[in-house]
């Protein structure tokens, strides 16, 4: 069978037309020659081709091997031997024969070609067989589904963290960790340990540690990071020591933070230059927090020499400021100024022509994310430079003015030329803080001939200064200059409105405030002032709307809370006013004005107890408020809370501040009503001494007699308590003492009730009334008589105590 096949091959190879031979130097020539046969551009005009296309799938008669000199026989391997395939060899025009480039079998037989239709899509074979159903119960499928679930949980955890839901992010991370451990156990049971997905384990642990850190669960975060770092199977896990150092830095464990930063720095190759710079910057910041400024200076100096950046330059200035090195501060400031911003110029966003397509592109990129990032970077650079200049200006030279001048000159020679004017304005503000108003005004007046933006800022400050000094004409003049220089300056418009408000033109002031809000909706000063203007115009609803809007911006502003409460009070809604005042005292609990206002509102509502509570709190924080003292005095008199004379003695100095004669008359009246009041006599002695009256001796004598009587009374009470002894006498003595105290308390109560009954009315003279019941009971002014001590018991105890001692010769009878 093999011989027959070989003979047929030899016979058929004789009919093969080979390509004509070419030069040996160019074996593949002719392949790039163009042949009209391959021209497909004229197929639309080919009638025979179009007729064939219109037929069913371009059906043509089957190809046979009877066409002379056009067939090439090739062998096709079958299960029993070698068969042969007839291939049309395409005779070309001009006798050019297609070169035979391959002799391998095409994979089909001439039997299959005979009578077959043109079906390139295989539609004649019918529909494809149904897919084989997955076996969901197989271990491989379960592992695959569990791994997919773990990845979804990690993604959900990251998304929740980015949305600010830290608790949900932590729960998802924990769930992912639990499912990942189950996945590892199942994979170990099915396959070898080498097939475990280490990348998935690494991502799950890293996410879990990050979520612990975000939720300030630092101990758990450090434990999880340790698991990752100690596992040698995780590549590049050593750089996670930076995260551990950050956690120690948050815990203020600075020594460990520096240790882990240095360990991470050792494990990061030098090719990762940017990451090494960031770690060194963290090390420098940690040194600053520990007060090791020399080590911090070394770190930041290295960063500024390798890859200078704004943060490192600013921290270097802080370090030199801490050690007090003036020259190094100047050099560090110059290095900070020289840091490149690496942002495009603003000219790129200006259209060079009137091309609508170009203008559309420029409008699209004028406020895109890249442009916003450039603005943020520029603003950060200006903030660092301004802060550094204000920090070092007072110390690098003999005076802060000379220091500011040096900083201005350095800034003018840099890429931040526009900051020089801002530094000059800050110089004027520094003069204001030192209360040197003349120098501040002179500094600001230097900007009157500068460009419009700087002129507007300087004129705004000058207007504010003159407004504080109540020079409204000058304030209005500079406010006009500021508005004319920059009509879109909200501060200038607010100052102009203030000057108009001071002149009483509230409608015009409201227009200026509205224009300032149109230019800058976040101008809280204009919003507050327009609320005050509406309140002056008695447009309370509009004023309330302004203050409520301001409250949404400034949640804890005491002034805004008070204005809202005041507007509600003017609208005769005391309940809302009380509610807002309660919020106010939660912000400023020691504000005596707010407390007294609360007492006033409760008093108007008839709640005397609450009113007394807030009035008394107001008096505690500000005892010189006459209105509060008067209300408390009236309340004490109405409720008879305690002795009227004690109240007058305590509060009358505030009622008669500076009016000695009235105070003296009041004290004399009190003395006539309550002759036993020691405090009243003391005030009388003091007043008479200050005024120089002769009555001082009389009052001094009465005061001494009262003090002596008080002393005798105290001695009697004390001797009565100490005079009893022994168990029996102690019991009797304690009983008698208790009865004496009860008698004293009852006698004091009787005296107090008698005095209260004897009190005259507010405008009535002090005289007895026949309609009142006469109290004929007598009360000893020296107090109750002390019970006679039990001498027998005391003698027995004295003898017992005396028997225990030895008698001296001087005590023996002669």
């Amino acid at each position: 069978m093999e011989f027959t096949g070989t003979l047929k091959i030899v016979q058929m190879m004789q009919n093969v037309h080979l390509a004509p031979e070419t030069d040996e130097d160019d074996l593949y020539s002719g392949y790039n020659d163009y042949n009209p046969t391959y021209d497909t551009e004229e197929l639309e005009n080919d009638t025979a081709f179009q007729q064939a296309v219109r037929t069913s799938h371009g059906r043509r008669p089957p190809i046979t091997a009877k066409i002379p000199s056009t067939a090439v026989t090739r062998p096709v391997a079958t299960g029993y031997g070698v068969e042969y395939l007839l291939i049309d060899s395409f005779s070309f025009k001009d006798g050019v024969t297609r070169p035979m480039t391959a002799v391998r079998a095409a994979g089909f037989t001439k039997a299959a070609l005979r009578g077959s239709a043109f079906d390139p899509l295989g539609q004649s074979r019918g529909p494809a067989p149904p897919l084989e159903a997955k076996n969901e119960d197989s271990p491989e499928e379960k592992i695959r589904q569990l791994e997919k679930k773990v990845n979804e949980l990690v993604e959900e955890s990251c998304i929740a963290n980015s949305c600010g839901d830290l608790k949900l992010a932590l729960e998802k991370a924990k769930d992912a960790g639990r499912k990942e451990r189950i996945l590892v156990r199942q994979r170990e049971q099915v396959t070898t340990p080498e097939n475990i997905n280490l990348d998935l384990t690494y991502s799950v642990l890293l996410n879990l540690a990050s979520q612990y850190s975000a939720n300030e669960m630092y101990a758990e975060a450090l434990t999880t990071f340790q698991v990752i770092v100690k596992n040698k199977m995780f590549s590049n896990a050593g750089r996670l020591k930076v995260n551990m150092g950050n956690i120690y830095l948050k815990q203020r464990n600075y020594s460990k933070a520096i240790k882990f930063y240095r360990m991470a720095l050792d494990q990061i190759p030098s090719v990762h230059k940017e990451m090494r710079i960031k770690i060194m910057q963290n090390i420098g910041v940690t040194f600053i927090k520990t007060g090791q400024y020399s080590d911090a200076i070394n770190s930041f100096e290295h960063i500024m020499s390798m890859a200078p950046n704004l943060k490192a330059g600013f921290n270097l200035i802080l370090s030199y400021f801490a050690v007090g090195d003036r020259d190094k501060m100047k050099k560090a400031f110059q290095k900070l100024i020289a840091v490149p911003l690496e942002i495009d110029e603003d000219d790129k966003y200006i259209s060079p022509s009137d091309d609508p397509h170009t203008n559309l592109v420029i409008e699209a990129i004028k406020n895109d994310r890249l442009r916003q990032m450039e603005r943020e970077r520029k603003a950060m650079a200006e903030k660092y430079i301004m802060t550094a200049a204000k920090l070092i200006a007072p110390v690098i030279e003999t005076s802060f003015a000379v220091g500011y001048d040096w900083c201005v000159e350095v800034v003018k020679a840099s890429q931040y030329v526009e900051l020089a004017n801002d530094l000059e304005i800050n110089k004027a503000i520094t003069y204001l803080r030192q209360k040197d108003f003349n120098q501040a005004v002179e500094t600001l007046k230097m900007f009157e001939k500068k460009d419009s933006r700087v002129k507007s800022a300087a004129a705004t400050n000058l207007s504010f200064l003159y407004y504080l000094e109540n020079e409204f004409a000058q304030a209005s003049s500079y406010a006009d200059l500021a508005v004319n220089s920059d009509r879109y300056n909200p501060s200038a418009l607010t100052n102009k409105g203030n000057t108009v408000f001071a002149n009483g033109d509230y409608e015009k002031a409201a227009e200026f405030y509205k224009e300032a809000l149109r230019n800058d909706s976040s101008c809280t000063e204009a919003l507050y002032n327009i609320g005050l203007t509406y309140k002056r115009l008695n447009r309370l609803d509009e004023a309330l709307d302004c203050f409520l809007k301001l409250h949404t911006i400034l949640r804890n502003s005491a002034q805004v809370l008070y204005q809202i409460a005041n507007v509600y009070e003017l609208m005769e809604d005391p309940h809302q006013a009380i509610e807002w005042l309660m919020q106010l005292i939660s912000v400023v609990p020691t504000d005596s004005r707010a407390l007294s206002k609360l007492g006033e509102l409760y008093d108007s509502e008839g709640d005397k107890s609450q009113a007394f509570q807030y009035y008394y709190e107001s008096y505690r924080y500000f005892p010189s408020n006459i209105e509060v003292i008067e209300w408390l005095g009236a309340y004490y008199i109405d409720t008879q809370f305690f002795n009227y004379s004690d109240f007058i003695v305590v509060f009358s100095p505030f009622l008669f501040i500076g009016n000695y004669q009235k105070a003296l008359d009041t004290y004399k009246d009190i003395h006539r009503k309550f002759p036993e009041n020691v405090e009243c006599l003391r005030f009388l002695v003091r007043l008479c001494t200050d005024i120089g009256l002769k009555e001082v001796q009389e009052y001094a004598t009465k005061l001494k007699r009262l003090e002596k009587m008080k002393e005798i009374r105290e001695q009697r009470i004390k001797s009565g308590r100490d005079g009893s002894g022994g168990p029996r006498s102690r019991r009797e003595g304690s009983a008698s003492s208790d009865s004496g105290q009860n008698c004293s308390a009852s006698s004091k109560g009787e005296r107090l009730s008698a005095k209260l009954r004897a009190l005259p009315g507010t405008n009535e003279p002090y005289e007895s009334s026949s309609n009142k019941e006469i109290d004929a009971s007598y009360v000893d002014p020296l107090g109750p008589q002390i019970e006679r001590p039990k001498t027998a018991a005391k003698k027995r105890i004295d003898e017992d105590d005396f028997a225990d001692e030895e008698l001296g010769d001087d005590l023996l009878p002669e």
Side-chain angles (χ1 to χ4, degrees), residues 642-651 677 679:
F642 67 93
N643 198 321
Y644 173 75
S645 63
D646 292 338
F647 168 77
I648 294 296
V649 168
V650 172
F651 290 98
N677 193 296
E679 295 295 331

Side-chain angles (χ1 to χ4, degrees), residues 8 16 20 205 247 258 273 277 410 416 427 443 447 475 511-512 579 611 615 671 687 712 725 775 792 802 811:
K8 290 182 179 180
V16 174
L205 290 174
I247 293 176
I258 294 172
K273 180 180 177 181
I277 289 297
V410 173
Y416 305 98
K427 179 181 176 181
T443 305
F447 294 96
E511 292 300 324
F512 280 109
E579 181 180 347
Y615 269 122
H671 178 63
L687 276 173
I712 293 172
D775 186 7
F802 188 72
L811 298 178

Side-chain angles (χ1 to χ4, degrees), residues 193-194 196 198 202 228-237:
E194 289 78 8
I196 296 176
L198 291 177
Y202 181 85
I228 303 175
V229 171
K230 290 182 178 180
N231 195 336
K232 302 299 181 183
M233 300 178 67
F234 295 139
S235 59
N236 299 325

Side-chain angles (χ1 to χ4, degrees), residues 80-122:
Y80 298 98
V82 179
E83 294 185 0
Y84 298 95
L85 173 64
L86 298 178
I87 304 175
D88 191 2
S89 62
F90 295 104
S91 297
F92 300 100
K93 295 180 180 180
D94 300 331
V96 179
T97 305
R98 177 182 179 274
M100 187 175 68
T101 57
V103 295
R104 294 185 60 186
F108 53 90
T109 63
K110 58 185 178 181
L113 291 172
R114 190 177 294 115
S116 63
F118 180 74
D119 189 12
L121 299 178

Side-chain angles (χ1 to χ4, degrees), residues 549 576 611:
K549 288 179 183 178
Q576 285 290 335

Side-chain angles (χ1 to χ4, degrees), residues 4-37:
T4 305
T6 304
L7 179 60
K8 290 182 179 180
I9 292 172
V10 173
Q11 291 176 356
M12 298 308 296
M13 286 298 293
Q14 294 177 358
N15 297 325
V16 174
H17 298 280
L18 300 175
E21 296 182 358
T22 58
D23 297 337
E24 295 180 357
D25 296 336
D26 192 4
L27 297 176
Y28 297 95
S29 63
Y31 283 90
N32 295 327
D33 296 340
Y34 178 76
N35 196 300
T37 305

